[in-house]
Amino acid sequence: MGNPHGFQEFGRELPGKKAPAERVKNYNEFVSLYSDEKLNQQSSRCMNCGIPFCHSGCPLGNIIPEFNEAVYQKNWLLAYEILSSTNNFPEFTGRICPAPCESACVLSINKPAVVIEEIEKHIIEIAFEKNLVKPYTPLIKTGKKIAVVGSGPAGLAAAAQLSKAGHMVTVYERDDQPGGLLRYGIPDFKLEKWVIDRRIKLLEESDVTFVCNTEIGKDIAADDLVRNFDAVILATGSTVPRDLPIEGRELNGVHFAMDYLTQQNKRNSNTTINTAELVATGKNVIVIGSGDTGSDCIGTANRQGAASVKQFGLMAQPPAQRTTNMPWPSYPIIMQNSSSHEEGCERIWGISTKAFLGDEQGNLRALKVTDISWELDEMGRRTKFIEVEDSEREMPCELALLAIGFAHPQYNGLLEQLNVVVDQRNNIHAQEGVYRTNVSKVFACGDARRGQSLVVWAISEGRETARKVDQFLMGHSVLETKDALAAFEY
Ligand SMILES: Cc1cc2nc3c(=O)[nH]c(=O)nc-3n(C[C@H](O)[C@H](O)[C@H](O)COP(=O)(O)OP(=O)(O)OC[C@H]3O[C@@H](n4cnc5c(N)ncnc54)[C@H](O)[C@@H]3O)c2cc1C
Ligand code: SF4
């Protein structure tokens, strides 16, 4: 522990951000880096706890106190080695993770948590700057061939790990470029796409082959893939969006959030858009759904020059702080103010959309809404909602974006051809920790298996699945478990 008084001397401080009025003028990232002095101070706040609860909060088991200490000592090679031993892509999680590690940080019991996510981002960016990040060339090649279907964070993590173990990996992607939701879901202002390109180049230099514009189950039959490879990993994501099938759903101006976000990401990368132009310029926009996707729609609509932006949440407004129902170190469901909210948006909680109302040309003109209240059971859980009397009204709206989540992976095509068994929620059935499907040689990970989740979980599942595939092919695995890595003495 570099500075035993760091947590008393320094408060939590985040790096500077461009002002909202300035940053909405373009789609670039707007968070700056710390000065050397600030980074040193922030890393010194870590107490190197006897039981570092931050580890347990992180799905990857990141070895946080050790890398904080290495940052404090300015030992960048060590910091990078520790971080990259558990996380293949800290440049993604360091930018967009909701940081469950920080919710579990011991310091956060009575003070603001250590800025773990920012420290992670600084380690990897400094490592790239100092040329410490190199392609991986295993000493022994096994001659085994593995196909990974889907190039989101789960597929990429599995590919990185398996190539490290000496296998020949081919990643198939139906989009024109690899990255999954990192590429065409998450907006550039949260994650600029050169960050993905930089990592893909490293993976290619580590002998991973990418085949884009190729849908397995359509362009290549699923059976052919299974026949031609020693193992297959399904990392196809949770791509079927939840719908809101109410009156007026068919009107022009009611769209899924992903259709809207993907278009803008493609526009930013000068990629051809084959669907009808979908922009918020001059429109009253209502985003239905209060999660990450909704928040990304708000940031995008403001950048496109929307006349107004509102966001609806079906639930009551969450509390500002932890309540007795969500004690430390659990991940609390509290009011989150994202950077997109800072840029301008009216948030309305406890509201239900009853109908989309159109004009004579079939264009959306308003939403019919009502306020709601929730009935709770004896455990305090929400059971059903009731409309508040006389609260029904119309809200002008020419663009309504449905950001109410994803139901499950697409079954027709690949999964159907393989006859993959799905669970009760229609996700691929493959037990956590085992990751094998009912089909011989076929494994599954990420959102396609666990349901819509987070980038950090996708990376974690990709790594764990790679180890299981390595064991399946070789009888044992050279890839370490996160527990073994955490027990290593640095
Ligand atoms: C708008 C939005 C914002 C988000 N923001 C955040 C955030 O800020 N932080 C966070 O942690 N998480 C966020 N998430 C969630 C996160 O992006 C996902 O949990 C994560 O990307 C899942 O990774 P995955 O690899 O399992 O699947 P995906 O990223 O969905 O990748 C699956 C890939 O498989 C491809 N594919 C599917 N079927 C086939 C086939 N048959 N043949 C070939 N390719 C195929 C798809 O084209 C896709 O590229 C966000 C999600 C969305 C939608
Ligand atoms: S819980 Fe917080 S203070 Fe303790 S070791 Fe982890 S990051 Fe440091």
Side-chain angles (χ1 to χ4, degrees):
M1 187 180 184
N3 176 2
H5 305 292
F7 70 97
Q8 291 168 318
E9 285 171 26
F10 307 109
R12 176 182 163 105
E13 228 178 287
L14 289 167
K17 283 189 266 183
K18 280 201 175 129
E22 195 51 39
R23 69 196 194 220
V24 293
K25 291 181 184 160
N26 59 50
Y27 291 86
N28 302 339
E29 286 183 20
F30 48 79
V31 182
S32 49
L33 293 173
Y34 288 121
S35 65
D36 290 354
E37 187 197 10
K38 275 275 171 315
L39 179 58
N40 189 257
Q41 289 175 357
Q42 290 301 312
S43 62
S44 81
R45 293 185 71 235
C46 175
M47 304 184 294
N48 196 358
C49 301
I51 301 177
F53 274 78
C54 52
H55 279 209
S56 60
C58 175
L60 290 161
N62 276 351
I63 307 161
I64 294 162
E66 280 79 358
F67 70 56
N68 283 341
E69 168 70 12
V71 169
Y72 182 74
Q73 303 295 351
K74 298 192 170 59
N75 188 340
W76 303 116
L77 179 60
L78 182 62
Y80 167 65
E81 279 175 352
I82 299 169
L83 177 57
S84 60
S85 72
T86 55
N87 185 354
N88 300 80
F89 314 125
E91 67 273 33
F92 304 153
T93 46
R95 283 173 166 79
I96 56 169
C97 190
C101 55
E102 293 185 12
S103 307
C105 173
V106 175
L107 195 54
S108 75
I109 294 175
N110 64 347
K111 279 175 185 285
V114 174
V115 286
I116 304 169
E117 184 184 7
E118 283 296 340
I119 291 175
E120 184 174 333
K121 176 177 162 192
H122 281 73
I123 296 172
I124 189 66
E125 290 308 327
I126 291 170
F128 270 111
E129 193 188 295
K130 294 188 180 299
N131 207 15
L132 302 174
V133 188
K134 309 266 190 225
Y136 201 91
T137 38
L139 293 176
I140 297 171
K141 288 280 189 187
T142 64
K144 302 283 185 193
K145 293 195 305 174
I146 297 149
V148 177
V149 189
S151 66
L156 292 181
Q161 290 294 96
L162 287 164
S163 139
K164 206 186 262 187
H167 305 300
M168 283 163 63
V169 185
T170 306
V171 180
Y172 290 95
E173 171 54 56
R174 66 181 173 193
D175 256 318
D176 59 346
Q177 291 188 70
L181 288 173
L182 300 171
R183 171 85 58 189
Y184 287 135
I186 296 169
D188 292 50
F189 54 81
K190 274 167 64 180
L191 176 70
E192 287 181 10
K193 305 313 166 195
W194 61 265
V195 181
I196 309 173
D197 297 339
R198 180 176 66 179
R199 181 56 70 175
I200 299 295
K201 184 164 173 281
L202 273 165
L203 289 171
E204 283 173 338
E205 286 165 4
S206 308
D207 267 359
V208 174
T209 305
F210 288 90
V211 182
C212 291
N213 289 314
T214 305
E215 180 165 347
I216 306 299
K218 189 170 147 208
D219 302 311
I220 297 178
D223 283 355
D224 288 345
L225 199 74
V226 175
R227 201 172 318 111
N228 292 328
F229 287 86
D230 297 298
V232 172
I233 298 179
L234 307 177
T236 52
S238 179
T239 48
V240 177
R242 288 216 173 86
D243 206 346
L244 190 58
I246 54 174
E247 184 193 327
R249 171 64 183 87
E250 73 293 344
L251 291 168
N252 298 323
V254 185
H255 299 275
F256 287 120
M258 269 304 290
D259 294 340
Y260 173 68
L261 292 172
T262 304
Q263 264 204 10
Q264 187 54 52
N265 285 15
K266 292 205 166 181
R267 224 172 267 129
N268 293 342
S269 64
N270 295 322
T271 309
T272 318
I273 300 168
N274 299 319
T275 43
E277 179 96 334
L278 190 51
V279 282
T281 318
K283 294 180 184 162
N284 295 300
V285 178
I286 295 184
V287 178
I288 301 176
S290 56
D292 271 342
T293 309
S295 180
D296 292 348
C297 291
I298 294 164
T300 306
N302 277 322
R303 278 163 182 74
Q304 291 178 346
S308 72
V309 185
K310 292 186 173 61
Q311 184 181 31
F312 287 1
L314 199 59
M315 304 301 171
Q317 180 170 334
Q321 281 169 350
R322 288 184 188 276
T323 61
T324 45
N325 289 349
M326 32 175 140
W328 176 89
S330 64
Y331 188 75
I333 309 298
I334 54 176
M335 183 74 173
Q336 306 278 2
N337 214 16
S338 75
S339 59
S340 293
H341 293 123
E342 291 167 7
E343 291 158 8
C345 163
E346 185 187 347
R347 298 173 80 177
I348 307 174
W349 296 96
I351 187 164
S352 168
T353 307
K354 294 186 77 176
F356 298 108
L357 308 174
D359 61 17
E360 279 153 16
Q361 283 75 44
N363 296 318
L364 179 68
R365 63 165 185 84
L367 264 54
K368 192 203 283 182
V369 300
T370 172
D371 294 327
I372 55 167
S373 65
W374 285 87
E375 273 184 6
L376 305 178
D377 67 10
E378 62 285 358
M379 302 289 285
R381 288 175 300 218
R382 284 177 291 259
T383 46
K384 66 170 187 181
F385 67 75
I386 314 153
E387 289 181 14
V388 174
E389 229 175 282
D390 296 330
S391 67
E392 192 175 292
R393 59 203 182 276
E394 286 186 16
M395 282 196 185
C397 171
E398 297 85 45
L399 178 62
L401 297 168
L402 303 179
I404 48 180
F406 294 85
H408 49 76
Q410 178 189 322
Y411 196 77
N412 59 1
L414 171 63
L415 304 190
E416 189 179 25
Q417 287 177 18
L418 287 174
N419 254 320
V420 167
V421 170
V422 292
D423 64 17
Q424 285 170 336
R425 295 184 302 147
N426 290 326
N427 296 317
I428 300 176
H429 180 70
Q431 198 190 322
E432 184 157 15
V434 181
Y435 303 105
R436 279 184 87 156
T437 69
N438 61 308
V439 185
S440 171
K441 302 204 283 191
V442 179
F443 295 71
C445 59
D447 281 8
R449 191 203 71 81
R450 67 182 295 119
Q452 70 166 113
S453 184
L454 295 173
V455 168
V456 67
W457 270 114
I459 300 173
S460 169
E461 292 217 350
R463 289 173 62 88
E464 296 297 309
T465 306
R467 213 165 59 76
K468 290 294 164 188
V469 171
D470 193 28
Q471 270 172 3
F472 164 73
L473 295 174
M474 309 303 290
H476 68 282
S477 180
V478 294
L479 301 169
E480 275 137 340
T481 61
K482 53 185 171 189
D483 292 342
L485 288 165
F488 191 78
E489 289 283 328
Y490 284 96

